Amino acid sequence: MELRFFLIEYGVVTGIKKNESSTVIRWDTPDERDTEDWCRIWGSFVVAGGRIVDQDYQFKYINDDGSLKYKV
């Protein structure tokens, strides 16, 4: 028997560029440093079942631009 767990994560593509090929994702977490550079792996995201959420999706911790909703 094989068990598979899928973690559903939400985030936004930011305008941050660590290099010319950067695609920096700001994850929907309370940690304002929670970013990840998906340099050249956007296609892998789509192949793995990743999708773009509806523009009306409400993030829990971040605004649409990746900034925190509430600073502690």
Side-chain angles (χ1 to χ4, degrees), residues 1-17:
M1 182 170 157
E2 181 179 340
L3 296 175
R4 292 185 184 199
F5 297 94
F6 294 97
L7 179 61
I8 298 174
E9 296 180 291
Y10 293 94
V12 297
V13 175
T14 68
I16 299 169
K17 290 285 190 186

Side-chain angles (χ1 to χ4, degrees), residues 8-59:
I8 298 174
E9 296 180 291
Y10 293 94
V12 297
V13 175
T14 68
I16 299 169
K17 290 285 190 186
K18 294 184 179 182
N19 62 54
E20 187 178 304
S21 302
S22 286
T23 301
V24 176
I25 308 295
R26 167 65 171 97
W27 297 110
D28 189 21
T29 69
D31 181 355
E32 65 184 320
R33 296 169 299 177
D34 194 359
T35 61
E36 188 173 8
D37 191 351
W38 280 37
C39 179
R40 297 186 182 103
I41 61 172
W42 183 256
S44 299
F45 165 78
V46 175
V47 169
R51 58 190 171 94
I52 298 172
V53 295
D54 184 274
Q55 70 182 20
D56 296 326
Y57 179 81
Q58 293 294 308
F59 295 102

